[in-house]
Amino acid sequence: MPDTSPTDPTSGSPDLIEAPRRRRWPLVLGGLVALAVVAGVLVATTGGDDDTTAAGGETVRIGVVGASDPYWATYQEAAADEGIDVEIVDFADYNQPNPAVAEGELDLNQFQHIVFLADYNVATGEDLQPIGATAIYPLGLHSKQYDAVEDIPDGATVAVPDDASNQARALVLLQSAGLIELKSGGTIFSDLADVDTDASRVQVEALAAALTATSLDDLAGAVVNNDFVERAGLDFDDALAQDDPSDSAALPYANVFAARADDLDDPTYQRLVEIYQETQAVQDGVVEVSGGTAVMLDTPVEQLQASLAEVEADTRDQG
């Protein structure tokens, strides 16, 4: 995920997903989508005709950040084709959509990954739950000297971002690539102290996220946040390794639709998740807006909920 500084959600340069900093609320999230710079709720965007309503004649209100992304209009049209009226409510602040769902002002939201949701639940005592996966935005390992992970020599130095929100994910990526071993096995709280240096192939150095890419001339490799890949003249496709969405360690970074726990079995909500996952134009639109980095997911709900429970437990332990 990119740096944690705010970016304009209309810029078309999405961030990668990142774990939140240690136990704090409110959070500033980078990654699912770019963070808006203007606080407050924007004007809601509505779709569908008056006669295209959900079961019971009610409109389903979904909170998002970045409703101007074209795929949301496509999604509304696909839902309307099945008789479901969807109202997309656009927020400019990541701290608002979860309380809005909890208080019943929204039916669903789709803007966050599991780690963010877990931190919110633990901090507030709420019980919002994922009802479906959307996408994960891979974090990549880049190199100017080597063309493959196996070419990186033992003892070489690889850089990771120095902020806690990105460092844990970068270390898990290096472990998945076979370059290091983490004493904990890899968690959302891993840091340099978690690296088993005797069992690792490379040395790990922490640099400011903005410097990992620009320091590649002096490094064997670096985990580069999404925001800095193209700025540094790198290509997303040239990454030697990236998060594997099928890896259980990457699951907490999956973006999800979230609902109140009492609404998990609502058939209309479940169908709306399926429409998002099954409508090719929606899927293509998400990938396009992400600059081709998004990996679309249809992870079973049971796995998402189990991951949330695990991250919540870990977050409480850290407190």
Side-chain angles (χ1 to χ4, degrees), residues 38-274:
V38 180
V41 183
L42 302 182
V43 177
T45 303
T46 59
D49 300 325
D50 292 340
D51 60 348
T52 56
T53 57
E58 297 181 358
T59 296
V60 178
R61 305 184 79 228
I62 303 177
V64 307
V65 178
S68 61
D69 290 336
Y71 64 82
W72 283 119
T74 304
Y75 175 72
Q76 288 176 293
E77 293 171 3
D81 287 343
E82 298 199 21
I84 305 173
D85 183 40
V86 171
E87 179 182 350
I88 300 297
V89 182
D90 195 15
F91 289 85
D93 188 307
Y94 283 103
N95 299 316
Q96 295 179 3
N98 278 334
V101 172
E103 294 166 9
E105 297 172 3
L106 297 174
D107 300 299
L108 306 170
N109 65 45
Q110 199 284 292
F111 76 103
Q112 66 192 322
H113 55 59
I114 290 171
V115 176
F116 189 96
L117 178 57
D119 194 272
Y120 171 79
N121 281 345
V122 171
T124 64
E126 297 290 354
D127 186 23
L128 301 186
Q129 291 287 321
I131 64 168
T134 58
I136 190 168
Y137 300 84
L139 193 63
L141 170 65
H142 292 263
S143 176
K144 287 187 176 180
Q145 301 181 46
Y146 305 103
D147 296 325
V149 170
E150 52 269 25
D151 295 336
I152 297 177
D154 293 351
T157 299
V158 174
V160 296
D162 65 356
D163 60 286
S165 59
N166 287 297
Q167 189 170 119
R169 191 177 182 206
L171 291 172
V172 170
L173 170 60
L174 294 183
Q175 178 173 254
S176 297
L179 292 173
I180 65 170
E181 290 291 335
L182 297 171
K183 301 170 188 175
S184 67
T187 75
I188 60 172
F189 304 108
S190 291
D191 55 21
L192 292 186
D194 194 22
V195 178
D196 185 337
T197 55
D198 292 336
S200 298
R201 279 189 52 211
V202 299
Q203 300 180 52
V204 182
E205 176 182 350
L207 298 173
L211 298 179
T212 58
T214 57
S215 301
L216 275 173
D217 288 337
D218 302 316
L219 299 165
V223 177
V224 181
N225 291 356
N226 194 42
D227 273 349
F228 304 113
V229 172
E230 292 183 330
R231 296 183 200 176
L234 303 173
D235 193 312
F236 290 107
D237 293 336
D238 291 337
L240 307 189
Q242 63 181 22
D243 298 275
D244 180 1
S246 66
D247 189 328
S248 60
L251 184 57
Y253 300 102
N255 293 344
V256 297
F257 279 95
R260 293 176 293 276
D262 291 344
D263 293 333
L264 293 180
D265 296 326
D266 186 292
T268 300
Y269 298 170
Q270 292 176 344
R271 183 58 194 148
L272 284 172
V273 171
E274 294 172 348

